[in-house]
Structures are given as C-alpha cells and as structure tokens.
Amino acid sequence: MLFNSFHFILFFPAVVLVYFLVPAKLRYVWLLLASYYFYMSWNAKYAVLIAFSTFVTWGSGMLLGACRKRGAKGSIKKWIVALSFVINLGILAFFKYFDFMLDNVNFFLGKAGLQAVSRPFDLILPVGISFYTFQALSYTMDVYREEIEPEKNIGTYALFVSFFPQLVAGPIERSKNLLLQIAQIDRLNRKTLYQYDRIASGFRIMLWGYFLKMVIADRIAILVNTVFDSWYFYGTVELVLAAAAFSIQIYCDFNSYSTIAVGAAKVMGFTLMENFDTPYFSRSIQEFWRRWHISLSTWFKDYLYIPLGGSRCGKLLRYRNLMVTFLVSGLWHGASWHFVVWGGMHGLFQVIAAQTRKLRDGLYEKYNTKCTSFSFRFGQMAVTFVLTTFAWIFFRAESLSQACSYIARIFTKPDWWALSDGTIYRLGLTRMEMNILLSSLWILFAASLIKYKRNETLDVFLAKQCAWFRWLAVCVLFAYIFLFGIYGPGFDASQFIYFQF
C-alpha cells in the first residue's frame, strides 16, 4: 500500500478515526492490526518474517533483562545479542543477498572453467526488510547496553517494529523514542489526543510530503529515466543534467516518504525523528551524512562505526572503520557492486578530506582566503553537490560497467549546443512540464532555505504566521498536487525508490 495510492487515502483516515474512538487500552492493539494489514497488502506471506523477527528480538530483550537481574556474566549476554543478530541478519542476507552471492560464485566458477551452480529458487525481496530488521536489532543493542528496560508486552513491542507510517522506508526509529511513546498511548487522555493544532500540523506535513513526491520526484523521474535508460544516445549536457536531476529526484522521493511518515505519526500523537536536514546545503561530505538519511547514518555510527573503535584509535584504524562502515552502508542499499562502490566513494571522500585538511588550511591561510564569506561557503556547497552527484551515478546505474561507461561518455561526447537548441525539452518533459518542474523547485528551494537559515521546518515556520498565510500556503500546495501531480486515468502509483532496499 503506497502512500500516494487511493488505497492509503481511504485507509489512513479510517485508522485514525477508530484510533481516536477505541478505549485507551485497545489503542495499541488497533494500530498493530492496522500495521500488519498495511504490510500484508504487499505480500501477506512475508508477514511471517516480520512476526518472527519481532519474536526473536523481543525474546532476546527478555533474556537480557533476566540476565541483568540475576547478575549473569557478560559473556552470556554477548551470546544472546550475537544470536539475535545472526538470526535476523541471516534472514536479511538470505532474501536480499543470496542471488548476489550466487552470481558472484558463478562468475568465479566460470573464470575457472567450472560448471555454474543453478539457481534453486527465485526470491522476492520482502518490502522494508532492511528497515524493520535494523530497527528491531537496535532494540536488542539498547537493552544490552542498559539504555532501555526490556518491553514485557510483546504486543507493544510488535507495534514498535511494525508501526505502519515508517515501516517500509523509515525513518529507522530507536526504542528510546518510539517504543516509549507506544508504551504510554493508553495514558493519553482524550483532550491530549484531539489537539487540533497537532492534527492540523500533521496533515500539513503530509501535504508537503505529497508535493515532494507527486509534483517534483515523479515528474523529474521522467527526465532521469529517459536519459539513463538510453544513456548511449546522449552527450555531456544531457548526461550531466540527468545526473543532477537524479540527485534531486532521490532526495525528494525519499524525503517525501519520511515526511509523510512523520506527518501521519504526528496526526496520531507520535513524534518520529527527522530524517533529512537540507543535505544539499552541506559544505562537506561529512556534513552531508549528518543531514542525509539521519536515522540510517546514526544507526551505522552507533552500532557499527563506534563498536569498531570509531575515532578513538589511530589514524589508519579510524580510516579503516570509516571505510568499512560506508562499504557496508553501500551493500545495505542494494545487492550489487555498484552500490558497494557508491558507499566506498563516500568513505573515500571523507578519508581524502581528512588527509588533506592541514594542507588546505595552510593554503587558505597563505592566500588570505576569507573562509567565512558567502562565496567560499557557496563554493564548498557546490563542490559537495558535485561529489555527491558524481557518486549518485553509480547508485542510479544498473551496473558498475554502465556507471563507468556513463561517466566516460560525459567526458568524451561534448554537445554544448544542447544548451541552446531545445534538446533539454526533448528528454521526456515538454516545455510546459519543465516550467512546472522549475517553479516547483523554487518552492522547494525556499522551504529548504528557511530550514537552513532558521532551523525550522516549513510547518513550524507556517505555524508562526497569520492564519491567512497558512491557508494560502496550504492551498498553493494542494493546487500544485491536484493540478500538476503525476496521476491520471491510467495512473499507477510510482513506487518510492527506497522500497527496494
């Protein structure tokens, strides 16, 4: 069930209405049933997997709690955590990486002149398995570290793992935030639950998410797909434009899901973590990862980078930890080498930045560079955007070889005349469609600038304005979605990009 589907438009109000009306003790039960229905709308069979992962991690938490009370040895608790990780990551690896591993085995067998291993079965990747697996495992680690008490009510915990707004594409929530909120929903009185300002705010946030998805992401995807699907026909201008367009597409697409999720949760009284913070205003790759997919980057930091030693070791080990973290992050995004290379590039960018920091600082001082000036900061943002866009080519390409060929063609097939002969209007979007896209991007830029300068989301900014201005902004967004959203008689709701991960 996609957020931008007619099914969800009927589902969500019904869930909220019943949630507001049922007795307090049954609220978590109703949301749990709704969440499983939401997940089973894709493939009912795979609900068994999320239920099994829930039971294993809940059981691990209970065992860890029992060990803590009895003063058991630390080694026993480590074995419990290890077993929980092996089982859950084993399931994830089987469904997500089995075919990838088999393809690589067959590649090397072919090089050795041996017979390839036949594929025993075809696997369909369960939607959201990477997200809910990481969310469940973070609970196990939080209990092990004694940062949270084990949740005794398996129903409450099951809702934490399967909470439908953020179930299939994040944000990846922590037990210290979402689980504690779920455990207290039966204590919320009607007055607190029915707060108009909070509900209205939640719907405004959802509206912004739909604008990002249906007006910008799905429209710019047409241009991106046109070029990437036939990249060998195009030259420098079109290839660079498509790469930059994909940077915007994946940001708006993924941010739209997280934004709708945050808004939907807020309508029901839950606060989810912020997942994006104007990442393309970053002045370095390191800052980019503090602003991009925050729930995942902090997960890898807390549960992989720091346990490996983090920055508390020598330079070489610190760089090793950084590279391992980003290579694993790349593999998490997809079972293919081009994803691994994408992650490795981001790690390498940061290693190079760290190694050259003293040299750059010396050059800035020698040439009296005004590092606080707008031009310098803008230059840093531009360089960071170029580096991330370059890496996104590997992310978007179908294979590593295609990504390399795409980049090679950028540098070997110049066609600067395409900037003035109307070629850019023959990339799947008409002149009118391009104008709609450009006006939408200006709205996105204005909202991003408010967030960057004032550290306020668009909704917080609107909440501080007069009522007529808030309604005007809502009407403009609604009009854009209704008039310019990508839908119609033959509409097939586009799948959010991060569903495949």
Side-chain angles (χ1 to χ4, degrees), residues 374-430:
F374 168 78
S375 57
F376 183 83
R377 294 163 65 91
F378 180 78
Q380 287 181 310
M381 292 179 188
V383 170
T384 302
F385 181 77
V386 169
L387 291 176
T388 54
T389 297
F390 181 78
W392 281 132
I393 295 174
F394 288 87
F395 192 96
R396 174 57 179 79
E398 297 296 326
S399 65
L400 186 58
S401 60
Q402 181 185 325
C404 293
S405 298
Y406 188 105
I407 293 169
R409 195 168 177 86
I410 288 177
F411 292 101
T412 58
K413 298 295 180 180
D415 60 340
W416 307 115
W417 57 86
L419 292 170
S420 58
D421 67 357
T423 297
I424 60 175
Y425 297 109
R426 296 192 293 271
L427 301 178
L429 295 177
T430 64

Side-chain angles (χ1 to χ4, degrees), residues 135 138-139 141-143 145-149 160 173-182 184 271 302-303:
Q135 184 156 309
S138 70
Y139 165 79
M141 284 300 298
D142 289 344
V143 174
R145 294 173 176 177
E146 299 184 7
E147 296 177 0
I148 189 172
E149 291 294 321
F160 161 71
E173 273 296 340
R174 305 298 180 83
S175 55
K176 291 174 286 188
N177 180 35
L178 182 58
L179 181 56
L180 294 181
Q181 293 182 65
I182 292 173
Q184 296 173 0
T271 301
D302 293 342
Y303 303 117

Side-chain angles (χ1 to χ4, degrees), residues 88-116:
N88 283 277
L89 293 181
I91 295 173
L92 177 62
F94 177 72
F95 281 94
K96 190 169 183 176
Y97 303 108
F98 180 82
D99 288 343
F100 173 63
M101 291 185 289
L102 187 61
D103 288 341
N104 283 278
V105 168
N106 285 335
F107 173 79
F108 287 109
L109 288 176
K111 290 292 184 181
L114 301 176
Q115 185 177 357

Side-chain angles (χ1 to χ4, degrees), residues 9-296:
I9 299 301
L10 296 177
F11 167 81
F12 182 65
V15 170
V16 172
L17 180 62
V18 176
Y19 173 69
F20 283 169
L21 295 178
V22 295
K25 292 184 178 180
L26 296 179
R27 287 172 186 160
Y28 83 89
V29 176
W30 169 247
L31 288 183
L32 179 61
L33 292 173
S35 296
Y36 266 79
Y37 173 80
F38 178 85
Y39 190 75
M40 291 170 68
S41 66
W42 274 286
N43 191 323
K45 296 178 182 178
Y46 285 153
V48 175
L49 292 177
I50 190 172
F52 181 71
S53 179
T54 298
F55 179 77
V56 169
T57 50
W58 174 80
S60 300
M62 293 299 292
L63 289 174
L64 289 170
C67 289
R68 186 191 309 175
K69 289 182 179 180
R70 297 179 181 179
K73 295 181 179 179
S75 59
I76 297 177
K77 293 191 289 184
K78 289 180 180 179
W79 276 107
I80 294 172
V81 173
L83 184 62
S84 177
F85 269 69
V86 167
I87 292 174
N88 283 277
L89 293 181
I91 295 173
L92 177 62
F94 177 72
F95 281 94
K96 190 169 183 176
Y97 303 108
F98 180 82
D99 288 343
F100 173 63
M101 291 185 289
L102 187 61
D103 288 341
N104 283 278
V105 168
N106 285 335
F107 173 79
F108 287 109
L109 288 176
K111 290 292 184 181
L114 301 176
Q115 185 177 357
V117 179
S118 60
R119 197 177 302 277
F121 34 69
D122 293 323
L123 294 174
I124 300 176
L125 182 66
V127 173
I129 187 172
S130 298
F131 288 89
Y132 71 70
T133 298
F134 272 31
Q135 184 156 309
L137 289 177
S138 70
Y139 165 79
T140 301
M141 284 300 298
D142 289 344
V143 174
Y144 169 74
R145 294 173 176 177
E146 299 184 7
E147 296 177 0
I148 189 172
E149 291 294 321
E151 176 54 54
K152 297 179 180 178
N153 187 330
I154 191 171
T156 299
Y157 177 71
L159 177 57
F160 161 71
V161 176
S162 63
F163 188 51
F164 75 87
Q166 46 81 228
L167 171 59
V168 296
I172 302 172
E173 273 296 340
R174 305 298 180 83
S175 55
K176 291 174 286 188
N177 180 35
L178 182 58
L179 181 56
L180 294 181
Q181 293 182 65
I182 292 173
Q184 296 173 0
I185 58 175
D186 60 341
R187 304 174 192 173
L188 298 177
N189 57 48
R190 300 286 181 183
K191 184 177 180 180
T192 302
L193 205 59
Y194 297 160
Q195 286 181 347
Y196 170 80
D197 289 342
R198 189 203 73 242
I199 296 172
S201 173
F203 279 117
R204 285 197 300 268
I205 293 171
M206 292 180 71
L207 190 67
W208 176 244
Y210 280 113
F211 171 80
L212 293 176
K213 172 62 177 173
M214 300 180 69
V215 179
I216 300 180
D218 287 351
R219 175 168 279 102
I220 205 169
I222 298 172
L223 185 155
V224 173
N225 294 340
T226 298
V227 175
F228 270 88
D229 290 348
S230 303
W231 56 272
Y232 38 80
F233 287 140
Y234 297 104
T236 301
V237 171
E238 298 94 328
L239 296 175
V240 170
L241 177 63
F246 180 70
S247 296
I248 299 171
Q249 179 200 350
I250 194 169
Y251 168 66
C252 291
D253 192 286
F254 192 18
N255 190 20
S256 68
Y257 188 96
S258 297
T259 301
I260 296 171
V262 169
K266 190 170 186 178
V267 169
M268 295 183 288
F270 298 96
T271 301
L272 301 183
M273 70 181 298
E274 183 181 33
N275 216 14
F276 292 88
D277 183 13
T278 58
Y280 291 138
F281 283 166
S282 301
R283 296 164 57 193
S284 67
I285 296 296
Q286 185 178 30
E287 183 182 353
F288 174 83
W289 280 101
R290 290 198 297 267
R291 295 173 175 271
W292 176 275
H293 202 345
I294 299 170
S295 64
L296 179 66

Side-chain angles (χ1 to χ4, degrees), residues 346-365:
H346 275 274
L348 187 61
F349 288 156
Q350 296 192 53
V351 170
I352 294 173
Q355 277 289 88
T356 60
R357 182 173 290 113
K358 288 184 178 180
L359 174 63
R360 287 182 285 117
D361 289 344
L363 291 173
Y364 297 153
E365 183 177 355

Side-chain angles (χ1 to χ4, degrees), residues 372-485:
T372 58
S373 65
F374 168 78
S375 57
F376 183 83
R377 294 163 65 91
F378 180 78
Q380 287 181 310
M381 292 179 188
V383 170
T384 302
F385 181 77
V386 169
L387 291 176
T388 54
T389 297
F390 181 78
W392 281 132
I393 295 174
F394 288 87
F395 192 96
R396 174 57 179 79
E398 297 296 326
S399 65
L400 186 58
S401 60
Q402 181 185 325
C404 293
S405 298
Y406 188 105
I407 293 169
R409 195 168 177 86
I410 288 177
F411 292 101
T412 58
K413 298 295 180 180
D415 60 340
W416 307 115
W417 57 86
L419 292 170
S420 58
D421 67 357
T423 297
I424 60 175
Y425 297 109
R426 296 192 293 271
L427 301 178
L429 295 177
T430 64
R431 187 177 296 271
M432 178 180 177
E433 289 286 330
M434 286 290 287
N435 290 335
I436 293 171
L437 177 60
L438 291 174
S439 65
S440 303
L441 291 177
W442 275 112
I443 295 175
L444 172 62
F445 177 75
S448 300
L449 196 60
I450 290 171
K451 180 68 172 67
Y452 183 73
K453 287 292 188 179
R454 301 170 62 101
N455 196 28
E456 295 177 348
T457 62
L458 180 63
D459 180 66
V460 172
F461 173 77
L462 290 176
K464 296 180 178 180
Q465 309 307 313
C466 299
W468 70 266
F469 187 86
R470 288 198 302 272
W471 280 105
L472 177 62
V474 168
C475 289
V476 168
L477 289 179
F478 184 80
Y480 259 80
I481 295 169
F482 184 77
L483 297 174
F484 305 134

